[in-house]
Structure formats: structure tokens, C-alpha cells
């Protein structure tokens, strides 16, 4: 086993052909900052060629509470046009594309990953609209609609209600739900056969799965996500009705 504490917000270690990447900002619920995005890009864009599987985990009780709204507010103070949000949004898209479209089989709670497992007490929420923001981060909305279905996604986004692990599995947000104590074993059970697959066949198969899934979508406006997020955040900040929606502290 090799270990590398790359920074205060992302840690990585390799176990054979499996790369474990951990979000390591538990005090903020692993809220995604620009620094974290930079560190993730460094890890996931060009992994070791001997690695076949990437497992994305997190320290603390929360996997990830989304983008750091405090940092959003600071960026808008520095530049009311939202340039900082645009820059971070583009980095978020590149991270998600590396996880979903890269050669590695990825395992995590995150929708960008190929295989998704969660503990029975896991809960999810899409809170962006309540915060005065569009659901435009990382280019994941088309993937969510494709895997869950437009009608169900529409309800989850417009109401912003929380939903648990059982419903997440029903919706295909998760493919497996296990007791919390069995989570690591479930991840290992998925990783073990994958690392034995011939590298070329594994790489091409993942590319085929992604290509056929993308073929069912008329358009994928992921490149617009950063622009949309920045524009709406800037407009919301100027509006008296929602002036601090994007700039509050992360809870």
C-alpha cells in the first residue's frame, strides 16, 4: 500500500490497482472549494496507468454538502459578474467528466461514478433552487435525468425535498444499499472482480457504455453549466428578494 496526504482537503492512497481518494474537509461537510477541485483534478485526470478502479470516499458524517456557499459569496464580493464561480464551475465539470468518462471504473455515492453504493442511513437532496441557484454544476443534470427519469428529477429539483437510501436505489441514484458497517466490504466486493478484467477490454467497455448512454440524449449542455451558475448567482445577489442566497455560510 502507498499513501499520500496530498492536502488538507483531499487524501489519496493506492492499494494495488485500486486508488482510494477521500474528501477530507469534514468540518464543512466536505463542501467543495476551488482548492479541493484543484486537488481532485490533480488526482483523477491522469491516474497511474496501473490503476483500474477509483474509489471516492469522504471523511466525517457527510459525503459532500455541495459547493461551498461561503466561497461563492466571497467570489461575488470580489467580482459581482461571477467570474470566480465560472472558473470553479469549469473545474467541477472537468472533475466530473474525469470520473464518469475516464478509463477507470469509479465507485462512490457520487452520481458521476459508475457504481454507487450507500449506507442505509444515507440521505440526498437537491437544494440549489432553494438557494437561488440553478441545478448546473459539474455537467451532471443530463446524467441525472438519463438515469433517474425527467419526471422524477423535475419533482426532486422543484421541491428540494430530501430522500433516503431506499428511494435513491429505486431511482437508480444508488445501485446498492447496505448497513453502514458493511459499506467498505460492499465497495471491495465490487472492486475485486473489476481489477481482474483485462485493461483494454475494461477501458473499451466503459467507453462503449458511456457512448451508448450519451446517444440517447439530444444534447448535453454541460459546457454551459459554469456560465449558468455564475449568471444566476450574480443576478440573485443583486435581487433584494434573494440577495444573500448564494453567500450564506455552509450548513
Amino acid at each position: 500500500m502507498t499513501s499520500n496526504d496530498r492536502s488538507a482537503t483531499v487524501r489519496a492512497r493506492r492499494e494495488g490497482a485500486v486508488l482510494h481518494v477521500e474528501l477530507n474537509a469534514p468540518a464543512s461537510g466536505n463542501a467543495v472549494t476551488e482548492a479541493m477541485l484543484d486537488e481532485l483534478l490533480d488526482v483523477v485526470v491522469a491516474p497511474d496507468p496501473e490503476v483500474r478502479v477509483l474509489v471516492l470516499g469522504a471523511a466525517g458524517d457527510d459525503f459532500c454538502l455541495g459547493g461551498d456557499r461561503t466561497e461563492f459569496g466571497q467570489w461575488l464580493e470580489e467580482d459581482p459578474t461571477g467570474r470566480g464561480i465560472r472558473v470553479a464551475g469549469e473545474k467541477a465539470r472537468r472533475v466530473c467528466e474525469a470520473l464518469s468518462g475516464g478509463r477507470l471504473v469509479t465507485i462512490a455515492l457520487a452520481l458521476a461514478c459508475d457504481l454507487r453504493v450507500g449506507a442505509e442511513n444515507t440521505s440526498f437532496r437537491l437544494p440549489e433552487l432553494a438557494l437561488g441557484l440553478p441545478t448546473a454544476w459539474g455537467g451532471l443534470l443530463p446524467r441525472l435525468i438519463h438515469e433517474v427519469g425527467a419526471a422524477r428529477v423535475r419533482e426532486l429539483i422543484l421541491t428540494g425535498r430530501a430522500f433516503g437510501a431506499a428511494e435513491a436505489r429505486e431511482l437508480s441514484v444508488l445501485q446498492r444499499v447496505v448497513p453502514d458497517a458493511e459499506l467498505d466490504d460492499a465497495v471491495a466486493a465490487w472492486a475485486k472482480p473489476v481489477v481482474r478484467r483485462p485493461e483494454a477490454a475494461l477501458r473499451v467497455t466503459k467507453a462503449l457504455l458511456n457512448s451508448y448512454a450519451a446517444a440517447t440524449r439530444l444534447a448535453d449542455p454541460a459546457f454551459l453549466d459554469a456560465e449558468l451558475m455564475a449568471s444566476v448567482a450574480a443576478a440573485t445577489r443583486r435581487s433584494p428578494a434573494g440577495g444573500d442566497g448564494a453567500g450564506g455560510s455552509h450548513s
Side-chain angles (χ1 to χ4, degrees):
M1 176 193 302
T2 61
S3 177
N4 183 15
D5 289 339
R6 305 183 69 92
S7 73
T9 59
V10 173
R11 296 188 298 195
R13 75 180 193 278
R14 179 178 163 188
E15 295 179 341
V18 180
L19 177 65
H20 294 266
V21 179
E22 182 182 61
L23 307 183
N24 186 40
S28 67
N30 295 306
V32 179
T33 62
E34 186 175 11
M36 181 182 287
L37 290 170
D38 287 335
E39 293 153 12
L40 284 170
L41 283 170
D42 187 38
V43 173
V44 305
V45 168
D48 189 303
E50 298 300 317
V51 172
R52 304 284 183 85
V53 174
L54 185 151
V55 176
L56 181 61
D61 295 330
D62 299 299
F63 179 75
C64 180
L65 294 184
D68 190 316
R69 301 197 300 275
T70 299
E71 192 170 60
F72 273 32
Q74 292 169 350
W75 288 330
L76 290 171
E77 288 289 338
E78 295 168 1
D79 185 344
T81 67
R83 179 182 177 278
I85 296 175
R86 289 183 181 90
V87 171
E90 175 61 19
K91 291 178 180 180
R93 183 186 64 80
R94 290 172 58 202
V95 168
C96 291
E97 284 189 350
L99 292 173
S100 62
R103 64 176 179 81
L104 302 185
V105 173
T106 52
I107 304 175
L109 274 173
L111 186 72
C113 292
D114 302 306
L115 301 174
R116 301 181 294 273
V117 58
E120 293 171 334
N121 60 351
T122 303
S123 63
F124 299 84
R125 190 177 174 220
L126 299 170
E128 290 85 355
L129 188 57
L131 301 172
L133 297 170
T135 308
W137 190 251
L140 290 179
L141 183 57
R143 186 179 178 98
L144 181 64
I145 291 173
H146 174 74
E147 301 211 355
V148 173
R152 299 300 296 271
V153 171
R154 189 179 299 118
E155 184 255 336
L156 293 172
I157 289 175
L158 294 179
T159 65
R161 69 173 178 84
F163 57 100
E167 184 175 1
R169 183 178 181 183
E170 176 193 342
L171 294 171
S172 295
V173 171
L174 295 177
Q175 293 134 316
R176 189 176 178 190
V177 175
V178 298
D180 185 63
E182 299 176 15
L183 194 56
D184 289 344
D185 289 340
V187 170
W190 268 344
K192 186 176 180 179
V194 173
V195 298
R196 295 198 300 262
R197 305 297 182 245
E199 189 278 332
L202 189 64
R203 170 170 42 82
V204 171
T205 296
K206 178 167 178 179
L208 284 171
L209 290 170
N210 285 338
S211 296
Y212 285 126
T216 65
R217 301 196 296 260
L218 293 177
D220 187 349
F223 286 94
L224 296 176
D225 272 10
E227 181 67 35
L228 292 170
M229 178 68 81
S231 298
V232 174
T236 300
R237 183 174 183 272
R238 292 192 297 268
S239 170
D244 58 0
S249 61
H250 205 292
S251 58

